Amino acid sequence: MAVTIDLSGSVAVVTGGTRGVGAGITRALLEAGAEVVTCARRAPEAPVTAAGRTARFLPVDLRDPAAVEAFFERVRDDHGRLDTLVNNAGGTPYRTLADGDADQHARVVALNLVAPLTASLAAHRVMRRQDGGGSIVMVGSVSGTRPSPGSAAYGAAKAGLENLARSMAVEWAPLVRVNTLVLGMVRTELSHLHYGDEDGIAAVGRTVPLGRLAAPADIGDACVFLASDRAAYVSGASLHVHGGGERPAFLDAATVNQP
């Protein structure tokens, strides 16, 4: 028997949901039947669509607590409820610690840790007052689980985000579930900036045990699962969506045959 996930009648917010990984998450939620509201500071050139349906866009600066509070109140007023929040917005430029100052690194932490906290607090105030509670999904990174040279502040923020989610899961149970997706490398429209041309992207993909970079749809499918009743007993968890992780460098450096 086929197993399908139907999110019809539910309302989801995806921060940074208009491009890259965020757009993949938005499309997957639309395909599952959810009403989806995306947000970012600037409107996308074109709305995100899937399965003949279109995500709504509302502008908001996630670093402004008052604006975030007003945003979630508007979602509640316009749609009647909020079932899922995906804290996807984030990112960082490549910058070694010594090449940046404290303010630059603090801004990275603010975007990748404080902003998801701000959004989650506002979402929780909506979810805790409704039947069925809700689900919050943090979009984390393998950069938070290992050294992250060139993006140290980002890695520290993502490590903090995963810990924050576990604490939220305890404090906000049983009404609101909180989980983290720990992402590896994902192929997006900006991959060429990091990995080069198609040959470069393919070469990087071969370093992943599953042989390729993730597609945004892979992340979207995991979000749909965590948003659904199929994950009703999953909270405080970290789901690694990284294709098996990273092959240890010592295996390639060793001079003896490896099993």
Side-chain angles (χ1 to χ4, degrees):
M1 183 175 100
V3 176
T4 60
I5 294 177
D6 185 1
L7 297 180
S8 299
S10 71
V11 178
V13 165
V14 183
T15 69
T18 60
R19 62 180 182 138
V21 171
I25 294 169
T26 298
R27 285 190 289 267
L29 289 166
L30 287 170
E31 289 166 355
E35 293 182 60
V36 184
V37 181
T38 63
C39 64
R41 284 186 296 166
R42 291 180 292 273
E45 293 182 2
V48 181
T49 62
R53 305 172 63 242
T54 301
R56 181 185 185 188
F57 173 81
L58 293 174
V60 66
D61 185 345
L62 294 168
R63 295 167 297 186
D64 181 342
V68 170
E69 188 72 24
F71 167 82
F72 281 97
E73 289 177 357
R74 182 173 179 183
V75 171
R76 178 202 60 203
D77 292 344
D78 291 354
H79 297 270
R81 60 185 297 111
L82 171 65
D83 299 281
T84 302
L85 165 64
V86 182
N87 280 306
N88 165 75
T92 184
Y94 180 88
R95 180 186 294 122
T96 64
L97 285 170
D99 287 336
D101 59 32
D103 286 341
Q104 289 173 313
H105 297 310
R107 286 195 291 272
V108 171
V109 174
L111 176 61
N112 292 281
L113 177 57
V114 180
L117 170 59
T118 302
S120 297
L121 287 167
H124 176 252
R125 284 189 277 272
V126 176
M127 292 175 173
R128 70 186 181 186
R129 295 187 176 96
Q130 65 191 18
D131 293 339
S135 171
I136 296 175
V137 180
M138 304 293 195
V139 176
S141 171
V142 294
S143 294
T145 67
R146 49 120 169 102
S148 189
S151 57
Y154 174 81
K158 290 298 188 180
L161 188 66
E162 192 173 350
N163 185 271
L164 176 65
R166 288 195 290 267
S167 295
M168 285 178 174
V170 174
E171 291 194 12
W172 294 351
L175 278 177
V176 177
R177 296 183 296 108
V178 187
N179 294 288
T180 304
L181 292 178
V182 181
L183 307 190
M185 295 177 289
V186 184
R187 179 165 186 170
T188 71
E189 59 267 33
L190 299 180
S191 290
H192 66 283
L193 299 178
H194 302 281
Y195 312 126
D197 59 13
E198 288 298 319
D199 288 341
I201 292 172
V204 172
R206 287 192 292 271
T207 70
V208 178
L210 288 188
R212 65 175 176 86
L213 274 61
D218 295 317
I219 315 308
D221 288 342
C223 279
V224 167
F225 166 68
L226 290 177
S228 76
D229 290 340
R230 293 279 175 179
Y233 201 66
V234 180
S235 193
S238 297
L239 176 59
H240 288 70
V241 188
H242 57 15
E246 299 170 337
R247 179 178 169 85
F250 74 84
L251 293 177
D252 295 322
T255 57
V256 297
N257 292 329
Q258 297 295 329

